[in-house]
Amino acid sequence: MNDNVMISVSELKKFFGDVKAVNGISFDVKKGEVFGLLGPNGAGKTTTIKLLLGLLEPNEGTIKIMDLNPEIDEVQIKSRVGYVSEEPLIFKSLTPKDLFNFIASIRKLNPEETSERAQEYLESLGALEYYEQLVATLSHGNKQKIQIISAILHDPDLLILDEPLSGLDAKSVKVVKEILDIHIENGGAVLFSTHIMEIAEDLCDRIAIMNQGRIVGIGSMDDLRQQADQLGANLEDVFLRLTEQDVSVNEIVKKLRKSFSDRN
Amino acid sequence: MTEKEMGLYKLAKYTNLEIVMEAQVQSSGSNQARILEKYKKNKGSIKQQAFAMKIIYAAILLFMGVLPTISTYFQLEFKLSNPLVIPDSLLIPGGILFGSFNIMQLLYLTMLGMFAIGAMMSGDTFRWYETLPLSKERLRKLGFMTVFRNLDVGLITMILAFPIIIFVISLNILLALVALMISVINVMFSFSILVLIAGKISSILKISEAGSRKATLIRIFTMLSYMVVIFSASFFMQWVITAANDFFDVMEALDIPLIINIIMSLIPYLFSSGYLFIMSMEPSSFTPILWISALSGVGLSILITFFTYRRALRAMRMVTSSASLEAKQSSSSKKISEKPIEVLIEPRTPIKAYIRKDLSTSTRDIQTFMFIIMPLILPFMVLIPILISPTGLMDSFSDDYIIVWALVTMYQPMISIMLTTGFLNMEDTGASILSSLPIRTRDQAKAKLLLLGSIQTISYFLPLIVFIPNPDFLSYLFSFFSYYPVVLTLLLSMFQMKIRFFGRMKYKFVVEEFTPEKKVTKWFIIIVVELLIFVAFNFMGGILLLFFGPSMMFLATFFGGILALGVLLLSFNIMFPKVPGKRLTISIREIFRKHPLFGTVNLLVLYAGFLFLPGLIELPFFLIFENLPLIVLLFIDFFVTFGVMALLWLLIVRRSLGLPNGKESLKEYVKTIGLKPDRKIGRNIFLGISCSIIYFISIYITGNIFGIYIFDLDVIFGNPGTSISIYGWFIFILALIPGIWEEVAFRGVISTLNLRKYSRTTVLIVVSIIFGLFHFINLLVGNHLVLTGIQVIYASLLGFLLGYLFIKTKSLIPSIILHYLIDSLGQLFTYVIFDSIVDLVLFAIIGVGIIPSVLGVILVKLVVKEEPR
């Protein structure tokens, strides 16, 4: 297999009972690119990510991450992957200090290098003052910051981010983008899921638009615009067109306007 | 209650349900989604749960807190009706008793209440209410009301039970009213104290500014001291109550100066209520001055209760308004920001990191913390009442340390269950971080086990501290140490069962609940198995203790425990392979088959264990029906033993162990062990019978040579019990057991197993000797050592013939017939009287052993033609 391919997914299927959460998707993520999974809520983005990490077992299809199979070599894969989950489910009863120590111990990281790195990240994201406070007492955004730092502490080759920017302030979003850029420049790869089009448009080199467990469009921005048959439109329209929501959304917006104007 | 307060009461319903649900969801670990699903399906289930909890609390409070008071009432009434007793003299012991009851009620309420409202004191429940237009004062009251609603059934029971019962007994309205007043004051006071303590604890758990080691230590010690104070105080009070009852008899004749009674009755809360109550029982017997002082004392109690209530309300503000909480937080963060934060990361080994994580998590969360605290307190809860008990249970036994040992071992399974439940559910909050880390499940499991093992070890050996001054301390130490492997076995088996049933095995954090289906059934099985392991060890220990004394018991539990521990460690290695992904594929069955001698030893241990099983099953039965006729008992024993043997050799050995040739169907198995009649059935029966005849003739002749043979048909045809031999004709039924199952065991299974690896001669000799040596087991049921030794020799010799029959004919039929006839009809020929032990030995070895074997082997050689291999 090509050395440049970090993630290779083919004909992946995952069903929960009758629900076809992921229904036969295929894509590749190469070194040095930011790949976006874009889709409405319930499109199957998070399920796909969990399958990639080996947290779920696929019903059908194959996954290769850095040429390894997540079902067998999960420990090797995880030691080279950083993961930020959708909800900041981090140990509420630990402090960031405890948490980083825990992660460094499990990952067997170098103490000096990691300390320096953690200090830098905490400072640049403005989270240093929370270093010794219980995670439970932190705000959503600050939890998210801690989680992002946890995921990049070991300088991973591949970053898998599930809605990483939700709840972050503008400055932190900029910092995270910067971190991603540096990561890419150093030859890493990023898989990124979001339902916010602007972020995807802004950050991703290639995008897969998911809807109801399938990829309905894949490629660079330009490719997608062509596929949408609406040259020159912004990605929001492309997104809505691809997920066949443009009609229904317009109706909802109309209704909302009406209900507000009736009341006033 | 005013309308406004009614409104609060209704509002409190939602906060209360929120607390119950929060506790449920938190304790369910990663299983949260399923719990929520359950709530979705049955909206009433939270309410039902909340209600059930209330009822349980109410019952506990009623039985522990209120009912003892009633017995005191009867005692007082009895004394008061006795004209010889001076009423004033009853006041002091009565007052002390009622004071103790008050404190008891307070302690029980605090104990139960802390579990109940621990979740609420985090204050999260009130965040949303704050956004509504409610005044701070009302929020505070809402908090109080929520705690009240959480316990309301219990509290109302505590308030009403005492006056109602008093009214029913005495039909005295005045007395009932006094009782009501006393309970209201007590319960209000206790309740306010509960709120204050709960507030304190929650602030300890929540406002810890740093995760430093010092802060953790402070937390642990404060929590510990709270618990120890409460528990030890309640035990002390129990003891006071027991002692005070004797106090009555001492005091009743004494003339107490009035002034002492007046001073006592003025002391609020502790004594005044008791005084008032006793005086209301016989109002005319006491002077007005005493009435005034007692009433003022009660008035003071009311005042104190009111102020405590105010303080509790103030404490509530902490919980109900986030402002104060955040104020504390910001002040603490300011404290930190004074010195620059330096990020210093010191990686440890994954196992150490895991243990640290679990420890700091558990000391910050009251629910898990209970799982650490309980094992440390439980030993004392069990031991203290016995040690200080005035009835002196300890004095009636000579071997105190065995009593202590028995008590301490008794709750070990409980601690194992508690620890595994508490600590295998802790990963839920950090799920995503954990799932992204390259964890080796083995490390995780090891870390958990080390932590649980240390807690259980400390809990197990902790009670020994009490006995250090005891001159018999070494016996204590030895007895505890000998059972230690069993304790670890209990923990390890619990741990493995929990993971096998609930955990995710293949990937990730193994110790998380992953397959929660059929939860109740699984838990039932787990607990039953755990208790069975415990009962097996302690039953074995108990039997050995009875027959051979303590050292035998301790040796047996020690080595039995080591053996079980070894098996569990092996299965631990299979569950958590050293190289992740590559599972250890060695199966125990495979080992047994590849190393037949090792398999044989294990089979024999199993066999010996099963030989004792019928006794275990029948024991309770025989104890109940001890008057059954002997013949019925014999038949019951026969069927149970036969059934147990069939279970062992036809099911367990065949299916579970897959011996001798791997898992087989019953049909194949019967063929393998030679039980299936083949074409040469006639010849085989002939061989069995003719070998038996050789045996009979041999012992008849040699019996007459070495001793005096007595012919008496009663030996085999007499009635059981009255015949010379115990069994009489029943021997023809009883002999079926050794006849069939010993042959299946030694010839069918063990010989076949060993033939997989060794030559026929080797197998023949080795299995014969093993067969003989196995008869040493008769020592355990009390047979004579020399006689058993002789039996071992001739059994080995006969075993050679039996084995030869099996190997030559490839059928079990001849050896079963021979074995059966030796054990049944053979009895007729063994009624021989000897002059000396030498004659007996010669008879046994030559007549019973050598001659029949040699002649039998020759006969078989003549009859059976070697089939071409």
Side-chain angles (χ1 to χ4, degrees):
Chain A
M1 186 173 281
N2 193 340
D3 279 350
N4 277 328
V5 178
M6 296 294 266
I7 302 177
S8 163
V9 172
S10 74
E11 289 305 314
L12 188 64
K13 288 183 184 173
K14 177 70 191 174
F15 307 145
F16 297 104
D18 294 336
V19 183
K20 294 177 176 174
V22 174
N23 194 6
I25 61 171
S26 308
F27 62 87
D28 285 343
V29 179
K30 299 185 187 71
K31 248 180 204 171
E33 81 171 346
V34 179
F35 186 85
L37 277 179
L38 181 64
N41 296 331
K45 302 186 297 279
T46 301
T47 308
T48 308
I49 285 176
K50 285 187 173 165
L51 286 164
L52 290 181
L53 282 164
L55 299 183
L56 296 171
E57 288 171 55
N59 294 61
E60 273 176 50
T62 54
I63 304 170
K64 289 273 178 206
I65 294 182
M66 296 171 284
D67 256 351
L68 298 166
N69 182 349
E71 280 187 71
I72 299 163
D73 307 306
E74 49 128 358
V75 172
Q76 278 153 282
I77 290 177
K78 281 175 183 175
S79 59
R80 292 170 63 189
V81 172
Y83 168 54
V84 177
S85 77
E86 187 177 16
E87 290 164 64
L89 282 170
I90 46 184
F91 295 103
K92 287 182 199 149
S93 52
L94 297 184
T95 62
K97 183 181 171 181
D98 297 334
L99 183 67
F100 293 162
N101 271 303
F102 177 65
I103 290 170
S105 309
I106 300 281
R107 290 194 182 276
K108 296 171 186 155
L109 302 180
N110 173 307
E112 290 86 28
E113 204 181 303
T114 315
S115 303
E116 207 178 304
R117 196 190 280 272
Q119 175 109 25
E120 272 170 27
Y121 288 141
L122 282 166
E123 272 171 12
S124 54
L125 284 171
L128 191 59
E129 56 179 310
Y130 309 116
Y131 184 55
E132 291 186 359
Q133 282 190 25
L134 288 184
V135 169
T137 62
L138 302 183
S139 70
H140 181 80
N142 283 329
K143 278 182 196 158
Q144 190 69 11
K145 286 178 195 169
I146 300 297
Q147 202 186 201
I148 290 172
I149 299 174
S150 311
I152 56 180
L153 214 49
H154 60 295
D155 193 16
D157 298 332
L158 170 65
L159 267 174
I160 297 181
L161 312 172
D162 201 351
E163 305 278 0
L165 301 179
S166 65
L168 291 191
D169 50 40
K171 189 189 146 211
S172 304
V173 168
K174 201 162 185 315
V175 174
V176 171
K177 282 181 184 171
E178 206 57 41
I179 292 173
L180 293 188
D181 277 349
I182 297 169
H183 176 74
I184 292 297
E185 278 163 26
N186 292 342
V190 178
L191 179 85
F192 191 103
S193 102
T194 183
H195 58 265
I196 301 167
M197 286 119 282
E198 286 81 0
I199 293 175
E201 195 168 8
D202 189 11
L203 275 175
C204 302
D205 301 322
R206 285 197 308 139
I207 296 169
I209 298 183
M210 283 190 76
N211 190 35
Q212 293 178 347
R214 291 176 180 280
I215 289 181
V216 288
I218 189 164
S220 67
M221 293 297 299
D222 292 335
D223 297 341
L224 284 170
R225 287 194 179 109
Q226 276 173 12
Q227 283 182 38
D229 194 26
Q230 219 175 343
L231 285 160
N234 68 4
L235 191 60
E236 185 161 352
D237 291 337
V238 176
F239 175 67
L240 291 177
R241 164 60 62 96
L242 279 173
T243 56
E244 293 160 8
Q245 287 179 357
D246 49 353
V247 185
S248 53
V249 168
N250 287 337
E251 273 172 18
I252 292 166
V253 172
K254 253 185 223 164
K255 272 185 190 166
L256 271 176
R257 278 188 192 286
K258 191 164 181 287
S259 107
F260 270 103
S261 56
D262 283 353
R263 216 178 290 169
N264 293 332
Chain B
M1 266 192 255
T2 64
E3 202 176 307
K4 229 178 172 184
E5 272 168 342
M6 275 307 285
L8 277 180
Y9 187 74
K10 274 182 192 155
L11 272 183
K13 181 175 138 189
Y14 301 107
T15 40
N16 178 38
L17 288 181
E18 173 77 21
I19 290 166
V20 174
M21 179 151 168
E22 179 82 352
Q24 274 283 317
V25 172
Q26 269 174 13
S27 62
S28 60
S30 70
N31 201 5
Q32 285 180 0
R34 225 160 270 268
I35 288 267
L36 295 175
E37 191 77 1
K38 196 179 101 192
Y39 285 143
K40 216 190 262 173
K41 274 186 199 144
N42 178 6
K43 289 198 181 83
S45 73
I46 318 168
K47 285 180 192 166
Q48 290 155 13
Q49 219 131 29
F51 188 69
M53 287 300 278
K54 283 177 185 178
I55 297 294
I56 292 168
Y57 285 147
I60 294 175
L61 290 172
L62 179 68
F63 281 105
M64 311 282 271
V66 180
L67 290 187
T69 336
I70 307 299
S71 72
T72 308
Y73 168 79
F74 280 117
Q75 198 167 10
L76 279 167
E77 195 174 37
F78 174 72
K79 301 265 180 198
L80 278 170
S81 61
N82 183 348
L84 290 175
V85 175
I86 307 161
D88 279 16
S89 73
L90 294 178
L91 286 171
I92 289 186
I96 292 175
L97 266 182
F98 274 95
S100 321
F101 289 139
N102 290 349
I103 297 174
M104 288 290 291
Q105 287 190 352
L106 169 70
L107 293 173
Y108 282 124
L109 191 66
T110 334
M111 261 194 284
L112 290 183
M114 287 218 303
F115 286 103
I117 66 175
M120 123 167 219
M121 288 321 242
S122 69
D124 291 339
T125 324
F126 295 96
R127 294 287 164 271
W128 183 70
Y129 273 102
E130 271 176 63
T131 63
L132 296 180
L134 283 171
S135 75
K136 275 182 183 161
E137 180 64 24
R138 293 197 67 202
L139 260 181
R140 235 183 286 168
K141 285 197 174 147
L142 177 66
F144 207 80
M145 206 57 100
T146 309
V147 185
F148 181 76
R149 278 206 70 136
N150 200 292
L151 292 166
D152 55 4
V153 180
L155 291 173
I156 291 168
T157 314
M158 260 173 102
I159 291 178
L160 293 183
F162 183 47
I164 289 177
I165 296 174
I166 289 296
F167 183 72
V168 171
I169 301 170
S170 66
L171 289 177
N172 181 341
I173 290 188
L174 174 76
L175 194 61
L177 283 178
V178 171
L180 178 66
M181 183 168 78
I182 293 172
S183 336
V184 170
I185 296 171
N186 279 344
V187 172
M188 276 311 283
F189 182 75
S190 310
F191 182 61
S192 307
I193 295 282
L194 163 68
V195 172
L196 284 173
I197 292 183
K200 266 263 157 18
I201 287 189
S202 74
S203 61
I204 291 165
L205 287 172
K206 279 283 158 185
I207 326 264
S208 52
E209 64 272 320
S212 67
R213 186 172 298 178
K214 198 178 141 206
T216 315
L217 271 183
I218 292 175
R219 254 196 321 272
I220 292 179
F221 277 111
T222 329
M223 288 287 294
L224 251 180
S225 51
Y226 269 118
M227 302 299 287
V228 167
V229 164
I230 290 175
F231 277 111
S232 50
S234 62
F235 284 119
F236 180 69
M237 294 322 290
Q238 288 277 23
W239 182 75
V240 166
I241 289 167
T242 327
N245 277 318
D246 303 330
F247 204 41
F248 269 122
D249 303 330
V250 181
M251 297 292 286
E252 66 181 20
L254 291 179
D255 197 4
I256 307 291
L258 183 64
I259 184 73
I260 291 182
N261 271 334
I262 289 178
I263 292 172
M264 291 275 286
S265 67
L266 271 172
I267 298 174
Y269 188 67
L270 275 183
F271 303 121
S272 59
S273 53
Y275 268 70
L276 190 69
F277 182 78
I278 298 169
M279 283 155 66
S280 315
M281 287 172 74
E282 285 289 329
S284 51
S285 311
F286 300 95
T287 64
I289 288 195
L290 214 49
W291 272 99
I292 292 168
S293 63
L295 279 172
S296 345
V298 172
L300 273 177
S301 314
I302 295 175
L303 266 180
I304 291 177
T305 306
F306 179 71
F307 284 118
T308 332
Y309 168 73
R310 297 285 299 203
R311 279 214 60 176
L313 263 192
R314 237 176 292 151
M316 266 300 154
R317 192 177 54 198
M318 283 273 304
V319 176
T320 52
S321 81
S322 54
S324 60
L325 198 75
E326 265 142 33
K328 277 216 170 182
Q329 270 170 19
S330 62
S331 76
S332 65
S333 62
K334 247 178 225 160
K335 233 189 291 164
I336 288 167
S337 56
E338 275 167 20
K339 56 173 182 182
I341 296 175
E342 204 191 338
V343 179
L344 202 68
I345 288 169
E346 308 157 61
R348 293 169 179 79
T349 64
I351 292 182
K352 272 188 194 159
Y354 241 104
I355 294 178
R356 273 178 71 95
K357 184 215 77 175
D358 278 354
L359 264 183
S360 47
T361 303
S362 56
T363 53
R364 281 164 191 159
D365 145 47
I366 191 158
Q367 269 177 339
T368 326
F369 196 66
M370 286 296 160
F371 288 111
I372 300 188
I373 289 299
M374 281 312 279
L376 301 183
I377 291 176
L378 206 62
F380 296 103
M381 275 172 73
V382 175
L383 282 180
I384 286 174
I386 288 150
L387 291 177
I388 62 167
S389 148
T391 53
L393 175 69
M394 297 288 284
D395 302 337
S396 52
F397 291 93
S398 50
D399 290 324
D400 289 356
Y401 70 94
I402 289 182
I403 308 286
V404 172
W405 174 87
L407 276 171
V408 172
T409 58
M410 205 111 81
Y411 60 76
Q412 295 306 319
M414 216 167 101
I415 290 185
S416 297
I417 292 171
M418 212 152 67
L419 285 174
T420 28
T421 351
F423 280 84
L424 295 196
N425 267 348
M426 281 173 55
E427 266 71 18
D428 63 315
T429 59
S432 72
I433 294 276
L434 268 183
S435 60
S436 69
L437 291 176
I439 300 166
R440 293 176 50 197
T441 50
R442 185 181 167 86
D443 289 345
Q444 197 187 9
K446 257 187 173 172
K448 289 268 177 200
L449 262 185
L450 277 176
L451 182 64
L452 300 190
S454 331
I455 298 176
Q456 180 137 17
T457 304
I458 294 171
S459 156
Y460 176 65
F461 285 110
L462 199 61
L464 277 179
I465 295 173
V466 182
F467 301 101
I468 288 176
N470 195 309
D472 222 8
F473 179 68
L474 271 182
S475 301
Y476 282 92
L477 193 69
F478 184 63
S479 67
F480 271 64
F481 190 72
S482 74
Y483 195 74
Y484 185 51
V486 182
V487 173
L488 293 181
T489 300
L490 289 169
L491 179 68
L492 203 58
S493 63
M494 188 65 208
F495 183 82
Q496 293 188 12
M497 281 192 287
K498 175 92 200 301
I499 292 173
R500 279 206 187 271
F501 277 127
F502 293 107
R504 56 173 86 186
M505 298 280 301
K506 211 167 161 195
Y507 311 116
K508 275 57 69 181
F509 28 111
V510 266
V511 287
E512 198 63 14
E513 288 199 0
F514 187 54
T515 45
E517 298 84 16
K518 294 184 188 157
K519 208 169 184 169
V520 178
T521 325
K522 284 178 179 172
W523 270 113
F524 182 77
I525 296 172
I526 289 180
I527 289 177
V528 165
V529 171
E530 182 75 357
L531 288 180
L532 272 182
I533 296 174
F534 166 73
V535 168
F537 273 107
N538 281 37
F539 190 84
M540 174 186 78
I543 296 227
L544 291 174
L545 175 72
L546 272 180
F547 290 105
F548 300 98
S551 30
M552 192 67 196
M553 166 176 83
F554 293 143
L555 278 178
T557 47
F558 183 73
F559 286 108
I562 295 265
L563 194 73
L565 208 55
V567 172
L568 284 173
L569 284 176
L570 190 69
S571 85
F572 181 86
N573 276 332
I574 293 167
M575 279 172 84
F576 306 105
K578 276 181 187 154
V579 182
K582 282 179 197 157
R583 293 168 147 269
L584 203 64
T585 46
I586 302 167
S587 83
I588 298 175
R589 299 183 189 109
E590 198 64 30
I591 295 175
F592 284 172
R593 280 197 291 273
K594 276 191 182 149
H595 308 278
L597 274 179
F598 180 64
T600 305
V601 171
N602 281 283
L603 271 175
L604 291 177
V605 171
L606 200 65
Y607 188 16
F610 268 73
L611 282 178
F612 286 98
L613 200 61
L616 217 145
I617 298 169
E618 292 159 17
L619 191 72
F621 185 80
F622 287 169
L623 285 177
I624 300 167
F625 305 102
E626 49 184 335
N627 292 324
L628 285 177
L630 179 69
I631 186 70
V632 178
L633 296 182
L634 286 174
F635 266 105
I636 290 172
D637 183 54
F638 171 78
F639 284 119
V640 173
T641 313
F642 202 89
V644 165
M645 286 297 124
L647 179 77
L648 174 65
W649 295 109
L650 297 185
L651 195 72
I652 295 178
V653 170
R654 174 174 66 91
R655 297 288 307 169
S656 311
L657 299 180
L659 295 177
N661 283 343
K663 273 192 190 176
E664 291 173 315
S665 71
L666 193 60
K667 214 171 163 186
E668 292 167 335
Y669 180 75
V670 164
K671 205 173 162 195
T672 308
I673 62 172
L675 261 181
K676 193 178 181 215
D678 52 13
R679 272 177 290 133
K680 303 205 168 135
I681 180 88
R683 180 203 69 188
N684 290 342
I685 293 175
F686 163 77
L687 272 177
I689 293 176
S690 34
C691 282
S692 306
I693 293 170
I694 292 174
Y695 171 81
F696 296 147
I697 294 171
S698 162
I699 55 174
Y700 176 72
I701 295 171
T702 48
N704 272 316
I705 294 172
F706 293 109
I708 302 155
Y709 170 72
I710 297 168
F711 178 78
D712 187 351
L713 276 177
D714 193 45
V715 174
I716 50 168
F717 293 118
N719 277 322
T722 54
S723 141
I724 297 170
S725 71
I726 314 165
Y727 298 112
W729 56 262
F730 188 74
I731 193 73
F732 285 102
I733 293 165
L734 188 69
L736 285 173
I737 292 174
I740 294 175
W741 299 117
E742 281 186 19
E743 288 315 302
V744 168
F746 289 96
R747 258 55 71 180
V749 177
I750 292 177
S751 295
T752 312
L753 175 65
N754 282 283
L755 279 172
R756 291 170 64 91
K757 192 172 176 183
Y758 306 109
S759 74
R760 300 209 292 183
T761 324
T762 320
V763 172
L764 201 50
I765 294 168
V766 170
V767 176
S768 308
I769 292 170
I770 290 175
F771 174 68
L773 289 175
F774 191 71
H775 287 80
F776 267 126
I777 203 169
N778 290 339
L779 281 178
L780 283 180
V781 292
N783 280 13
H784 192 268
L785 180 65
V786 176
L787 291 181
T788 312
I790 296 167
Q791 193 189 9
V792 166
I793 297 172
Y794 73 70
S796 302
L797 292 165
L798 284 176
F800 189 85
L801 173 59
L802 291 164
Y804 194 73
L805 275 169
F806 173 69
I807 286 176
K808 276 282 179 188
T809 63
K810 297 190 177 67
S811 168
L812 263 187
I813 307 285
S815 59
I816 285 181
I817 293 173
L818 176 59
H819 199 148
Y820 171 74
L821 287 176
I822 288 175
D823 282 359
S824 55
L825 197 62
Q827 301 293 321
L828 184 66
F829 300 97
T830 47
Y831 191 12
V832 186
I833 294 170
F834 299 99
D835 288 338
S836 70
I837 188 91
V838 181
D839 290 338
L840 169 67
V841 172
L842 287 173
F843 165 73
I845 293 177
I846 298 174
V848 183
I850 294 175
I851 296 175
S853 306
V854 173
L855 293 179
V857 168
I858 292 170
L859 176 74
V860 175
K861 250 191 154 40
L862 289 175
V863 172
V864 181
K865 278 178 218 131
E866 195 68 39
E867 285 167 29
R869 280 202 209 164

